[in-house]
Amino acid sequence: TDKKLAIKLETQWRSELIQQQQFGFTPTLSVIEAFQSYATSKHNLACGYYVRLWSDRAIEFWSKKDYIHEISSLEIERFHSYLASSGYKPQTIVHALNQVGGAIKYAKKMGYKVQEVELPSIKLPRGRLRYLSVEEEQRLLQVLEPTASPKWMSEFTAPEVKREMQDLYDIVILLIDTGARHTEISSMRWDAINMEDGTIRLWRSKVQNESILYMSHRVREVLIRRQQIASGPFIFTNRS
């Protein structure tokens, strides 16, 4: 659990910091431990899910790096280029890079060896852009909850309405947790889904390339449920 991991890491940190004070060396921290410990420190916050999501993606990107101090400004620029070429929007890239910077700062705060890094400067488009708050997301999903029975729903329309509400609910879950566009989700095919490794191959028509997305727990649950009733190549079908 997150609590057990936090206790384990804190014990490890104390031991290494004592050695640092006694022998004058700066301890090292693996890339995996650095991002996992940073995500654990944020798990009680509203943004905790997204911190964990981008921490996992950073671990995957730097899978060939052993220690957090190997991540330099150049490496972060390489991560930036990868995200941009994968079709992520500037605001999403800023959010992802902030998690990298946050993990490095957190490791430094705990006394581990890191490089002084500078995050790339990214120009954001004009206009108001923001993410749903946790409360807004909860209210939206509550309205779309397919098990609800609104007063206006008759016994004749109930089955079809509930199916439509389930489709809307599932699409919204995928939109929120993947960050993909509506057209990308609504046209997604089953052959793009890999349940074994929890990935989605997403073709981004706007930039003409393919991205690999990692499923959240609830995206996986949605896909498993829909796979059991699938009747064609598409995840979402038009019943009309």
Side-chain angles (χ1 to χ4, degrees), residues 53-106:
L53 176 67
W54 283 108
S55 293
D56 289 343
R57 291 178 180 177
I59 290 171
E60 178 69 21
F61 182 79
W62 282 301
S63 60
K64 295 183 179 180
K65 297 291 184 183
D66 293 323
Y67 299 103
I68 190 68
H69 67 260
E70 295 179 65
I71 298 179
S72 61
S73 296
L74 181 59
E75 279 295 318
I76 297 175
E77 183 58 51
R78 195 166 66 86
F79 187 43
H80 170 212
S81 298
Y82 162 74
L83 295 175
S85 65
S86 297
Y88 289 102
K89 293 184 178 180
Q91 184 65 52
T92 303
I93 295 175
V94 169
H95 185 71
L97 296 181
N98 283 342
Q99 306 320 310
V100 175
I104 292 174
K105 288 181 180 179
Y106 188 70

Side-chain angles (χ1 to χ4, degrees), residues 153-234:
M153 187 186 300
S154 71
E155 60 179 311
F156 302 105
T157 62
E160 184 60 30
V161 171
K162 284 184 177 293
R163 282 194 294 270
E164 292 177 356
M165 289 178 67
Q166 185 69 69
D167 285 347
L168 286 172
Y169 183 90
D170 293 348
I171 286 176
V172 168
I173 289 293
L174 266 68
L175 289 172
I176 292 174
D177 286 9
T178 66
R181 300 179 179 88
H182 179 268
T183 53
E184 295 167 342
I185 295 297
S186 60
S187 60
M188 191 180 294
R189 299 171 61 97
W190 284 112
D191 56 14
I193 305 300
N194 188 327
M195 289 296 190
E196 291 186 4
D197 60 11
T199 58
I200 301 171
R201 290 186 294 105
L202 185 69
W203 175 253
R204 296 187 179 274
S205 57
K206 187 173 182 179
V207 291
Q208 294 294 297
N209 65 18
E210 187 176 79
S211 298
I212 301 297
L213 306 181
Y214 293 89
M215 302 177 193
S216 64
H217 292 301
R218 58 182 184 178
V219 164
R220 186 178 180 85
E221 290 175 356
V222 165
L223 293 176
I224 289 175
R225 172 166 44 75
R226 297 193 71 89
Q227 194 173 50
Q228 294 172 350
I229 59 173
S231 58
F234 294 97

